Amino acid sequence: MTTLATPAALAPRRAWLTDLPVLLVAAVWGASYLAAKGITTTHTVVAVLVLRFAVVLPALVVAGLRPLRALTGAQWRGAGILGLILGGIFLLETYGVVHTSATNAGLLISLTMIFTPLAEAALTRTRPPRAFLAAAGLSVLGVVLLTQGGGFTRPSAGDLLILLAALARTAHVLAMARMKGVRGAAALPLTTVQLGSAVLVFALLAAAGTGAAPWSAAADFGAREWAGLLFLSVCCTLFAFFVQMWAVRRSSPSRVSLLLGTEPLWAAAVGIAIGGERLGALGLAGGLLVLAGTSWGRRAVR
């Protein structure tokens, strides 16, 4: 006998259809640390960022030319602002990772999970659910244990940059969800304008002599470096931010940030499977806590 599913029965399934792509974004972002490490130096940060974004931008413009023409002036301005925030995130993260340890970077960037619900609560003048805050705290504790293999070093300028990147990530997620100027516009043209704005920022910095020129860095790339760049461009940039913009409209900024907070767990998994790193007992316990905190947090904000 066939029965019709009730809305309540369908809700968890619909939630997972939104959550799974976001988890995949967290996975590719986790893998991006290893990929970026193989192609980026202190002198080539801006050059690699120009190449990373510029590789996918022409295809986006061609694919979304008609939707781009349909954007209103307010939507262009809103997407441009989001792109400036996005550019700041990548600059802060990339320079921060160069000047601090991976342990500190993974720990500090995970604070986005705490910043986002607190900022969202402040904007809406509501109190976050205690269960969500507890789940986020559990996830952060898991990140601490997960990243203790290299030891926690003394705070540095890089630590401050990563902390600022976590704040910028929070601002980006909240802006996508609350900015009136971009409401009603399709995700493809908004993503295109965002990436275009970020490329413009990086190109201006490169033109000002900030590090190596993009064409000089590209000339030194071999097959392995180009493969890493394409992975960063297509998977970690185009796919990731398209999914993030799509998901935040169907879920909540806090929920999306909590799922993206599993990024350090995926980074550890890629490091073990591909980079040959080892995960001790504390790291294993931390990974389990991250998973438990994410699952608990999903239920808390459902």
Side-chain angles (χ1 to χ4, degrees):
M1 179 177 178
T2 302
T3 58
L4 295 177
T6 64
L10 290 176
R13 182 176 299 177
R14 286 198 298 264
W16 271 113
L17 290 176
T18 301
D19 292 347
L20 284 176
V22 178
L23 282 174
L24 184 56
V25 168
V28 298
W29 276 354
S32 70
Y33 290 104
L34 190 61
K37 188 175 182 179
I39 65 174
T40 309
T41 66
T42 304
H43 193 58
T44 62
V45 167
V46 173
V48 169
L49 287 175
V50 171
L51 295 170
R52 173 177 177 174
F53 282 72
V55 164
V56 298
L57 191 58
L60 278 175
V61 173
V62 172
L65 187 58
R66 182 175 296 179
L68 280 171
R69 292 174 178 173
L71 291 179
T72 65
Q75 290 169 341
W76 274 93
R77 289 190 295 271
I81 293 173
L82 290 174
L84 295 178
I85 299 173
L86 180 62
I89 292 171
F90 274 90
L91 285 169
L92 290 168
E93 283 185 354
T94 309
Y95 276 113
V97 169
V98 169
H99 294 289
T100 190
S101 67
T103 296
N104 285 22
L107 173 60
L108 292 172
I109 203 65
S110 70
L111 292 177
T112 304
M113 292 185 292
I114 299 298
F115 296 154
T116 301
L118 292 178
E120 188 177 19
L123 289 173
T124 59
R125 297 182 180 180
T126 58
R127 178 175 297 180
R130 292 183 179 180
F132 179 85
L133 293 178
L138 187 66
S139 295
V140 171
L141 175 60
V143 171
V144 174
L145 295 178
L146 184 66
T147 57
Q148 281 305 297
F152 189 82
T153 60
R154 295 179 60 184
S156 64
D159 297 328
L160 178 59
L161 291 174
I162 296 296
L163 180 61
L164 293 175
L167 290 170
R169 278 193 182 192
T170 297
H172 189 254
V173 172
L174 291 175
M176 282 193 296
R178 301 180 62 85
M179 188 176 289
K180 294 181 180 179
V182 299
R183 291 179 182 173
L188 177 58
L190 290 183
T191 301
T192 303
V193 176
Q194 281 193 76
L195 296 186
S197 300
V199 168
L200 179 60
V201 171
F202 303 144
L204 290 174
L205 290 174
T210 306
W215 52 86
S216 298
D220 294 332
F221 280 0
R224 183 176 180 179
E225 287 77 16
W226 277 110
L229 181 67
L230 289 175
F231 173 74
L232 291 172
S233 299
V234 176
C235 297
C236 304
T237 303
L238 177 62
F239 168 76
F241 285 98
F242 185 87
V243 168
Q244 187 180 13
M245 178 170 288
W246 169 81
V248 80
R249 292 178 172 182
R250 290 160 175 79
S251 182
S252 71
S254 298
R255 183 165 177 155
V256 170
S257 290
L258 188 67
L259 292 168
L260 293 178
T262 62
E263 178 183 334
L265 178 62
W266 297 109
V270 171
I272 293 170
I274 301 177
E277 299 176 356
R278 295 184 177 181
L279 187 64
L282 283 179
L284 179 59
L288 293 175
L289 286 179
V290 170
L291 291 176
T294 302
S295 178
W296 186 12
R298 289 183 66 256
R299 293 193 297 270
V301 298
R302 180 171 297 169

